[in-house]
């Protein structure tokens, strides 16, 4: 498969998963945390699907399109491992982590800290969506939609 085809599949999977979980998150109280604002495409999608919900976005640096920049109080710049730790206890309804690199060694490092941080950010019953695995005793894996290739995306519920 070409990288272009792989990219299209990844974006389609991301959209389908966010649509699936947003229907449920609409009934769960708490803010949404967007780990990895990037260009802001998924932030923009979440804002459309969850109107009025507080969405706090994190990244090393601001590189989002001007249409997709959160309010200053909801934009947190720096290394997510440190910055998001300050939000532990916020009882998020949804944590969306899009910080995979496609490099196995780098993503393996992310997997050493992201699952525990995610579990601590979510309220019980809250949902996590991630492009890298979220192996953690308090994160129960949920099925992905049929359109999503196996082990491409991970959906979990905080138990
Ligand atoms: N979901 C975004 C969108 O739809 O436009 C794309 C996110 S992009 C794939 C990943 C982003 O996460 C990059 O902007 C990168 O700077 C940021 N990132 C990755 N790892 C990070 C880390 N450990 N701390 C802070 N930012 C990180």
């Amino acid at each position: 498969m070409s990288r272009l085809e792989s990219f299209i599949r990844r974006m389609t999977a991301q959209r389908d998963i966010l649509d699936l979980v947003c229907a449920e998150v609409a009934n769960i109280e708490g803010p949404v945390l967007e780990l990895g604002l990037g260009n802001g495409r998924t932030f923009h999608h979440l804002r459309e699907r969850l109107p009025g919900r507080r969405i706090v976005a994190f990244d090393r640096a601001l590189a989002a399109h001007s249409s997709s920049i959160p309010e200053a109080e909801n934009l947190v710049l720096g290394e997510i491992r440190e910055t998001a730790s300050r939000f532990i206890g916020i009882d998020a309804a949804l944590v969306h982590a899009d910080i995979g690199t496609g490099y196995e060694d780098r993503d393996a490092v992310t997997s050493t800290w992201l699952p525990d941080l995610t579990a601590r950010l979510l309220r019980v019953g809250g949902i996590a969506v991630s492009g890298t695995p979220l192996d953690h005793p308090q994160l129960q894996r949920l099925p992905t939609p049929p359109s999503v290739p196996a082990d491409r995306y991970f959906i979990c519920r905080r138990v």
Side-chain angles (χ1 to χ4, degrees):
M1 187 191 305
S2 73
R3 287 186 57 218
L4 176 62
E5 289 166 319
S6 169
F7 178 75
I8 290 167
R9 279 175 60 147
R10 191 162 67 83
M11 294 301 101
T12 303
Q14 199 170 45
R15 191 265 329 270
D16 290 352
I17 286 178
L18 291 180
D19 284 350
L20 179 80
V21 301
C22 279
E24 186 169 347
V25 168
N27 298 313
I28 304 174
E29 272 183 44
V32 170
L33 305 185
E34 170 81 332
L35 307 184
L37 175 65
N39 183 278
R41 291 188 185 98
T42 50
F43 167 78
H44 191 273
H45 196 74
L46 289 168
R47 206 171 50 179
E48 280 200 356
R49 291 292 182 273
L50 297 167
R53 188 71 63 108
R54 183 183 181 201
I55 306 177
V56 186
F58 299 76
D59 209 304
R60 290 195 176 97
L62 179 59
H65 186 269
S66 61
S67 65
S68 308
I69 298 176
E71 313 78 13
E73 65 274 21
N74 290 329
L75 175 64
V76 185
L77 300 181
E79 280 299 308
I80 287 168
R81 189 176 181 179
E82 281 90 47
T83 55
S85 295
R86 292 186 228 132
F87 289 75
I88 286 172
I90 194 169
D91 279 345
L94 171 66
V95 171
H96 174 230
D98 187 15
I99 58 173
T101 62
Y103 292 98
E104 259 180 45
D105 53 342
R106 293 185 208 171
D107 292 348
V109 174
T110 299
S111 291
T112 63
W113 56 266
L114 182 64
D116 189 61
L117 178 59
T118 300
R120 290 162 180 259
L121 291 169
L122 282 170
R123 71 182 314 127
V124 171
I127 306 280
V129 172
S130 174
T132 56
L134 290 174
D135 296 326
H136 190 278
Q138 289 177 316
L139 297 174
Q140 179 186 62
R141 192 150 174 205
L142 301 176
T144 50
S147 61
V148 177
D151 286 344
R152 204 57 183 280
Y153 250 94
F154 303 87
I155 310 178
C156 298
R157 186 187 308 284
R158 169 74 162 82
V159 292

